[in-house]
């Protein structure tokens, strides 16, 4: 079945450091790929998405490129801020019986220190 | 933000008691989902609905049932709660309008089974 593997955390960075969170996937067909972010005590928010190979999703300074040849969707940000501290989830959407279903990675907790 | 509310937001109950969680949406989206979030597991799909009275099982459906009698409400029931069902439960919605498969999440319900 479909699966998502993302780097285990926690990840601790200093403010203004470069961030990479690796995500690879296994799926049949051509799934859409997502990054969701969860701030403490809150639900998940969509951060960015890409729907086909070589698409780049971007939002709030975060970027991720859909690489079909390496089945990857790594999340990057050039300069992190304390406010980026959160848990980040990589996910893919696959079609099922009458719906799309999301398969999530286990999440990577990011802490940014001043 | 998508109009999704969950109730209750917190609940403590005892083993063997029935529990019902409610998800309410104001977006008129066709698809609704229930996930549970546990440390080290990310989010896992419990059940989903693709229309009124149309539901199907997800990855971790044992011990849970759902009902959807109208578009805006999706109920998750634990017939006889067990300690292994202590978790944070998230509802999500999607429309698939225009082919988009993005899901939007509610704020979550923290359930503790003693």
């Amino acid at each position: 079945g479909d699966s998502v593997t993302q780097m285990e955390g926690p990840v601790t960075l200093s403010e203004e450091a470069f961030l990479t969170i690796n995500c690879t996937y296994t799926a049949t067909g051509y799934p859409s790929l997502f990054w969701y972010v969860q701030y403490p005590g809150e639900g998940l928010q969509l951060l960015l998405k890409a729907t086909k190979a070589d698409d780049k999703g971007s939002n709030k300074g975060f970027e991720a490129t859909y690489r079909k040849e390496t089945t990857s969707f790594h999340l990057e940000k050039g300069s992190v801020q304390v406010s980026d501290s959160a848990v980040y989830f990589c996910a893919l959407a696959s079609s099922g019986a009458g719906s799309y279903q999301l398969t999530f990675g286990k999440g990577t907790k990011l802490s940014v220190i001043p | 933000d998508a109009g999704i509310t969950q109730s209750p937001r917190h609940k403590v109950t005892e083993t063997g008691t029935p529990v019902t969680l409610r998800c309410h949406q104001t977006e008129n989206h066709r698809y609704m989902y229930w996930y549970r979030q546990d440390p080290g597991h990310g989010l896992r799909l419990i059940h989903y609905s693709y229309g009124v009275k149309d539901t199907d099982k997800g990855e971790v459906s044992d011990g849970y049932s759902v009902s959807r009698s109208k578009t805006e409400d999706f109920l998750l029931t634990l017939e006889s709660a067990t300690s292994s069902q202590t978790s944070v439960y998230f509802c999500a919605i999607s429309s698939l309008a225009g082919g988009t498969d993005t899901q939007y999440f509610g704020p979550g319900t923290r359930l503790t089974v003693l």
Side-chain angles (χ1 to χ4, degrees):
Chain A
D2 296 344
S3 66
V4 174
T5 302
Q6 62 181 102
M7 64 185 288
E8 304 219 354
V11 175
T12 302
L13 295 174
S14 296
E15 206 166 21
E16 299 184 1
F18 184 85
L19 169 70
T20 299
I21 300 178
N22 291 336
C23 172
T24 57
Y25 68 91
T26 301
T28 54
Y30 302 92
S32 294
L33 301 174
F34 304 81
W35 278 100
Y36 281 85
V37 59
Q38 184 180 31
Y39 298 102
E42 299 184 9
L44 276 71
Q45 301 175 24
L46 178 66
L47 181 59
L48 53 84
K49 65 179 286 189
T51 58
K52 61 183 187 295
D54 299 326
D55 265 4
K56 177 185 284 188
S58 61
N59 186 25
K60 299 181 181 180
F62 291 88
E63 293 182 341
T65 301
Y66 189 163
R67 301 287 189 198
K68 189 159 181 64
E69 64 275 13
T70 55
T71 62
S72 64
F73 193 54
H74 304 322
L75 181 68
E76 296 182 335
K77 187 176 186 183
S79 176
V80 293
Q81 305 300 311
V82 172
S83 57
D84 294 327
S85 297
V87 181
Y88 293 81
F89 292 93
C90 184
L92 67 82
S94 55
S95 59
S99 177
Y100 284 90
Q101 299 181 32
L102 285 179
T103 300
F104 285 89
K106 294 182 178 181
T108 302
K109 183 177 181 180
L110 171 66
S111 296
V112 181
I113 56 176
Chain B
D1 291 342
I4 313 169
T5 56
Q6 294 184 229
S7 58
R9 294 293 314 279
H10 301 272
K11 186 171 183 64
V12 179
T13 191
E14 294 188 350
T15 298
T17 59
V19 176
T20 296
L21 309 183
R22 179 180 183 241
C23 177
H24 178 78
Q25 60 147 328
T26 58
E27 306 296 321
N28 201 35
H29 282 0
R30 178 180 174 187
Y31 301 93
M32 299 185 75
Y33 311 81
W34 277 108
Y35 293 88
R36 60 178 289 174
Q37 182 180 26
D38 303 289
H41 289 278
L43 276 80
R44 294 178 291 176
L45 182 65
I46 304 172
H47 281 279
Y48 65 97
S49 169
Y50 46 96
V52 173
K53 294 188 175 19
D54 292 323
T55 65
D56 206 347
K57 296 179 180 180
E59 177 188 357
V60 290
S61 60
D62 287 349
Y64 301 95
S65 62
V66 291
S67 65
R68 191 168 178 201
S69 59
K70 46 187 179 178
T71 299
E72 57 266 35
D73 289 327
F74 192 32
L75 304 181
L76 176 71
T77 298
L78 291 65
E79 301 290 346
S80 178
T82 67
S83 58
S84 64
Q85 294 176 310
T86 292
S87 186
V88 181
Y89 292 85
F90 288 100
C91 173
I93 65 174
S94 66
S95 69
L96 298 189
T100 179
D101 45 14
T102 301
Q103 293 184 20
Y104 299 92
F105 286 78
T109 294
R110 182 174 295 276
L111 176 66
T112 301
V113 183
L114 301 177

